[in-house]
Amino acid sequence: MLDVSARSMAAVPTTHDVSAYTDQAVQMGLHLIGALLVLLVGMWIARRLANFAQGALGRASFDSTLSGFLRNLIYGVLIALLVVTALGVLGVPSAPMVAALGTAGLAIGLALQGSLSNLAWGVLLAVFRPFRVGDYVTAGGVEGTVGSLNLMHTLLILPDNREAIVPNGKIGSDAIVNFNRRGTRRFELKFGIAYRDDTDKVIATITRLIEADKRVLKDPAPGVWIESLAVQTVNLVLRGWTGSGDSWNVQTDLWRAIKQQIDARQISVTAGPQEIALVRGTPSIAPKAG
């Protein structure tokens, strides 16, 4: 009987045990309150910092898409650090969690390697701005007018009004040619005249045509030169500078004016002698090699 009574008394919590349990509960409650405060205050600070960064990027004339992306990226990183900090306040070891996050990030990165490449190049294109919306460019092997640029791809409008969606990774890994970046473009027209024509008079006539067109810039000075002496022709080259938006119209108008002068002054423009060639049993006319 005495043994049973002793065991029963031992099973009843003592005042010291109750006090220890109470202290543990209070400590857990304090840790929980501390973690919640860290989360609430930290989220408020993270939001303010992310919005401040977005505003600073906007004042620096960064692309709105890029500034929005960087704002969300900064906010996401701060929230991840905040969660790890809050769990540390609760007493959860942070090292295993950081390792797990790193492993998950590596797995996601490998799975989305192509998409992340496009995303990275989208950020670089938005930061360094090799072209802007409205520029006529060759990018990723495609030539057209930039319609839009986002973080994953670039929309190019082709000369025949088709749309080409080019991944930013392809654009970043290839040469980019911007026809509008410097504001002016040089054009070049080539044609040949016969040896019997007065070359100086032809050059003077064409020079007057260039000078009469106000769209052709005076500096750098335009001009007409003899490029080469072929078998049957004296080859001339006309070079001049225009604004980027006038280049094609100026070339078209000059070709028309040159053709009118050729007809009016009876200048001979020859394409060289011809010869008969037999291709797969069918006679055809082909330019004769010099």
Side-chain angles (χ1 to χ4, degrees):
M1 293 295 292
L2 290 176
D3 293 338
V4 174
S5 178
R7 286 196 297 268
S8 299
M9 293 179 63
V12 176
T14 63
T15 303
H16 177 74
D17 294 334
V18 173
S19 176
Y21 293 150
T22 303
D23 291 342
Q24 292 179 2
V26 170
Q27 290 295 327
M28 290 182 61
L30 291 175
H31 287 311
L32 181 60
I33 293 173
L36 290 175
L37 287 175
V38 168
L39 283 175
L40 294 175
V41 175
M43 290 177 66
W44 180 82
I45 295 175
R47 188 178 297 110
R48 294 293 297 271
L49 289 175
N51 291 337
F52 175 79
Q54 184 178 19
L57 292 173
R59 289 190 294 272
S61 300
F62 270 67
D63 184 82
S64 58
T65 303
L66 175 62
S67 60
F69 168 75
L70 292 178
R71 184 263 178 202
N72 294 333
L73 178 62
I74 293 172
Y75 184 72
V77 172
L78 292 176
I79 291 299
L81 295 176
L82 188 61
V83 170
V84 174
T85 303
L87 291 176
V89 172
L90 284 175
V92 177
S94 59
M97 181 170 297
V98 171
L101 289 175
T103 303
L106 179 60
I108 294 174
L110 292 175
L112 302 176
Q113 186 175 4
S115 298
L116 290 177
S117 175
N118 291 331
L119 179 62
W121 276 112
V123 172
L124 292 176
L125 291 175
V127 170
F128 294 104
R129 297 183 180 183
F131 51 77
R132 300 173 184 268
V133 174
D135 286 350
Y136 190 81
V137 301
T138 298
V142 181
E143 184 174 318
T145 302
V146 180
S148 63
L149 168 66
N150 61 37
L151 294 175
M152 299 302 294
H153 63 263
T154 298
L155 173 65
L156 295 180
I157 302 174
L158 305 186
D160 58 1
N161 210 34
R162 291 179 297 165
E163 292 184 352
I165 298 176
V166 187
N168 289 333
K170 184 176 181 180
I171 293 177
S173 61
D174 201 353
I176 299 174
V177 180
N178 192 327
F179 294 87
N180 301 100
R181 185 64 175 265
R182 304 189 66 84
T184 59
R185 288 180 61 184
R186 193 190 77 172
F187 65 91
E188 187 174 272
L189 307 181
K190 296 182 178 182
F191 56 95
I193 62 175
Y195 274 91
R196 63 177 175 270
D197 293 318
D198 190 326
T199 305
D200 292 336
K201 288 184 178 180
V202 173
I203 291 177
T205 299
I206 297 175
T207 300
R208 285 194 294 270
L209 293 177
I210 302 174
E211 294 173 347
D213 195 324
K214 302 301 181 183
R215 295 168 297 179
V216 180
L217 303 179
K218 305 303 180 184
D219 185 22
V224 182
W225 296 270
I226 298 177
E227 184 182 42
S228 63
L229 301 177
V231 175
Q232 297 291 328
T233 60
V234 177
N235 295 326
L236 304 180
V237 57
L238 181 160
R239 296 190 181 98
W241 292 79
T242 67
S244 297
D246 295 329
S247 179
W248 294 114
N249 292 331
V250 168
Q251 292 181 64
T252 300
D253 293 343
L254 282 176
W255 275 126
R256 184 183 297 112
I258 291 172
K259 175 62 168 62
Q260 292 172 354
Q261 290 295 322
I262 288 173
D263 295 339
R265 297 177 180 273
Q266 297 183 346
I267 300 172
S268 302
V269 178
T270 61
Q274 296 177 334
E275 64 179 4
I276 302 298
L278 188 64
V279 181
R280 293 185 180 179
T282 303
S284 62
I285 299 177
K288 184 177 180 180

